[in-house]
Amino acid sequence: MSAEIIDGKKVAELVRNRVREDVNDWKSKGHRAPFLQVILVGDDPASKVYTGAKTKACEDVGIETHTRILQDTISAKELKSIIKAYNEDDSVDGILVQLPLPSHLSSHDVIETIDYRKDVDGFHPMNVGRLTVDEPCYRSCTPAGIMELFKHYSIPVKSKHAVVVGASNIVGSPMAIMLSRENSSGKATTTICHKFTKDLTQHTISADILIAAAGQPELIKGEMIKEGAVVIDVGINRVADETSEKGYKLVGDVDYESVRKKASWITPVPGGVGPMTVAMLMKNTLLAAKKSIYPE
Ligand code: NAD
C-alpha cells in the first residue's frame, strides 16, 4: 500500500479563495478591509519566515496587515502596553504575536494581554475555554486547518480512535479537544501522548488517525502505525543538511518513507499542514473584522 497524499497546499488555496470572495463582498458593502496586526519580537529566522508567509497570504486575499518588529530586549511591560494600544484601536481587527518569544517574556502573559475578541490565533484562554465547551470562538489555526483537511477529503473522524502525539497549548491540546468533543465536528475517541508517555508505540499502533505534533524529527516510524492509518504530520523541524545551500532541510515528525507504505492518507512536509495554518488565520481575521464570533 502507498498512502494517498493530503494536499494541504491545494486545500489552503480553496480556503483562501473563499476568504478572498468574502473579503470582496464585505468591502463591496462599504466596509474597510480587515486588518491584521502582527508583532514580531527579535529576529528568529524561522519566525521571520512564518510572519512573511502570513503577510503574503493577507495580500493575496485582500486583508491589510502590518508587522511591527520589536527588539528582543523589549520588557514585558513595554510589549504589553503596545498590545493594549492595539486592543483599543478600532482599525485593528486581529492581533497576532509570533511565537516563540525570547525567554525573558512569558507567552502566557503576553497572549492574555491580547483582547480575546482580537485573538485570531485562538490561543487566549477565553478562546481555548470556549472551544472546550463548544461555544463559538477563534479556533487555533493549525488544528482547525487539520479538521478542514478531514472535511475536504471526506476522511471519517467520528467514532475513530485518534491519537495526538504532543500536548502543547497551541497544537496538541486544542487538536485533541477538536477531535474529541461529542457535540461538534470531532466525535473521535481520543488519546493524548506527550513526553511523559511511556511506550509511545503502544498508543500510536492502535490509532486510526495519528496526529504527530511533538517537534521531534521523524519520531513516528512505519512500525509504530497501524496498516491503513490516516497520518497527519504537523512537525516542522530544521535538520542539518550539507547538500542544501541553506545548510539545513525541513523534515516533519513522521518518517515519511516508512510511514507512507502503511498509511492510507498522509500529509507531506512541506505542503501539508503548514499552508492550512495560514489559510485558517485568514479565515479568523475575516471573522474578527465582521465581529462574527463576538458581536458588539
Ligand atoms: P512544543 O515543543 O510546544 O510541544 C511539543 C509537545 O510534544 C509537548 O507536549 C511534548 O511533551 C511532546 N513531545 C516531545 N517529545 C515527545 C516524544 N518523544 N514523544 C511524545 N511526545 C513528545 O511544540 P509545538 O509548538 O506544539 O509544535 C510541535 C511541532 O509542530 C513543531 O515541529 C513545530 O514547528 C510544528 N508546528 C507546525 C505548525 C504548522 O503550521 N505546520 C504550526 C505550529 C507548530
Side-chain angles (χ1 to χ4, degrees), residues 42-64:
D43 57 3
D44 175 59
S47 291
K48 277 189 185 166
V49 171
Y50 296 143
T51 54
K54 290 166 190 175
T55 302
K56 224 172 121 195
C58 282
E59 284 164 4
D60 176 51
V61 300
I63 290 176
E64 289 188 5

Side-chain angles (χ1 to χ4, degrees), residues 13 15-24 27 34 55-64 279 282-283:
E13 198 182 322
V15 174
R16 287 207 315 266
N17 290 346
R18 281 202 300 271
V19 173
R20 191 184 307 107
E21 277 169 28
D22 286 358
V23 167
N24 285 337
K27 288 199 285 192
T55 302
K56 224 172 121 195
C58 282
E59 284 164 4
D60 176 51
V61 300
I63 290 176
E64 289 188 5
M282 300 300 106
K283 200 171 166 182

Side-chain angles (χ1 to χ4, degrees), residues 27-84:
K27 288 199 285 192
S28 73
K29 289 178 180 145
H31 301 285
R32 61 165 174 76
F35 184 88
L36 174 67
Q37 180 64 51
V38 177
I39 299 172
L40 175 61
V41 184
D43 57 3
D44 175 59
S47 291
K48 277 189 185 166
V49 171
Y50 296 143
T51 54
K54 290 166 190 175
T55 302
K56 224 172 121 195
C58 282
E59 284 164 4
D60 176 51
V61 300
I63 290 176
E64 289 188 5
T65 184
H66 172 252
T67 301
R68 179 137 175 204
I69 301 171
L70 301 168
Q71 296 276 342
D72 60 3
T73 51
I74 192 168
S75 68
K77 196 172 166 201
E78 275 176 286
L79 176 56
K80 285 186 193 177
S81 82
I82 289 169
I83 293 171
K84 283 177 188 161

